[in-house]
Amino acid sequence: MLAIINDDLAGAGRPESIFISWLLWQPRGVDLASEALKEVQKLARYEKVDPDIARLKALFASLAGSDRSMH
């Protein structure tokens, strides 16, 4: 998982930028929904710590096929 760093003027630490970077690094033919669900599970324990993490988790949840809160 990539660290969220907010000191980049280009926005590289924003949840959307991290999400796009993650998408671009996925191997060809991978099941993106399945991989996104794994990221949701990794981020679940940190979402109450930082609103950016909660936003990133929501992006992965959307790709995984669920916009509802996932545990």
Side-chain angles (χ1 to χ4, degrees):
M1 184 87 262
L2 301 171
I4 297 178
I5 301 170
N6 290 323
D7 61 354
D8 187 345
L9 295 176
R14 292 193 178 144
E16 292 79 4
S17 297
I18 293 169
F19 181 71
I20 294 297
S21 294
W22 178 88
L23 278 173
L24 292 173
W25 280 98
Q26 296 307 299
R28 176 174 280 176
V30 72
D31 180 354
L32 290 176
S34 175
E35 294 302 313
L37 184 56
K38 292 177 188 175
E39 297 302 322
V40 168
Q41 293 165 346
K42 289 178 193 176
L43 292 169
R45 68 182 93 157
Y46 302 109
E47 72 177 324
K48 291 186 171 73
V49 176
D50 187 314
D52 284 342
I53 293 175
R55 174 72 181 135
L56 182 58
K57 181 180 169 242
L59 290 167
F60 282 117
S62 179
L63 179 60
S66 177
D67 292 331
R68 62 179 165 71
S69 178
M70 299 180 87
H71 305 266

